[in-house]
Amino acid sequence: MSSEELTVTAGAVGAAEPDGTDIAEVSAEAAAARSYPVVADVNVRSGPGTSYAKVGRVRAGSRVSISCQRPGETVTGPTGTSRIWDKIGSGRYVSDTYVRTGSNGYVAPRC
């Protein structure tokens, strides 16, 4: 698979702006619009752990958008050890230890 950029938008329900725009949806879309660099080739999994099926691969140097994050299997990767998994698409997760987010914690809403 060649380098790819995966973009995911997320919607939510909650309070609305006077024009009817959903505040949570705007915030989720703004978070999803940020992309982060992948620091090493990584398998994409169907869930937050290496026991989940491989559903693809993202190459080092690619950028991914994170729609949400959730705890899962603890993984040691190029950026350290973490149990945070990044949802980069429907049924598509990568360990946060392969994505340079600039944080050891959550940078997107929890799934």
Side-chain angles (χ1 to χ4, degrees):
M1 177 186 294
S2 63
S3 294
E4 62 182 5
E5 181 173 336
L6 303 171
T7 304
V8 178
T9 57
V13 291
E17 291 285 337
D19 68 357
T21 304
D22 187 330
I23 294 170
E25 184 174 341
V26 170
S27 297
E29 287 176 3
R34 267 190 89 181
S35 66
Y36 301 92
V38 175
V39 298
D41 291 0
V42 61
N43 290 320
V44 179
R45 302 286 183 165
S46 63
T50 60
S51 62
Y52 288 86
K54 291 180 192 177
V55 295
R57 189 158 176 84
V58 179
R59 299 280 182 199
S62 299
R63 296 184 72 85
V64 294
S65 294
I66 301 170
S67 61
C68 60
Q69 295 174 300
R70 64 180 288 184
E73 178 185 348
T74 300
V75 171
T76 298
T79 66
T81 300
S82 177
R83 60 182 293 217
I84 298 174
W85 284 74
D86 304 332
K87 185 174 183 183
I88 61 170
S90 180
R92 296 174 61 88
Y93 291 84
V94 295
S95 169
D96 192 59
T97 63
Y98 286 81
V99 181
R100 182 160 288 120
T101 62
S103 172
N104 290 332
Y106 290 87
V107 297
R110 288 202 183 194
C111 300

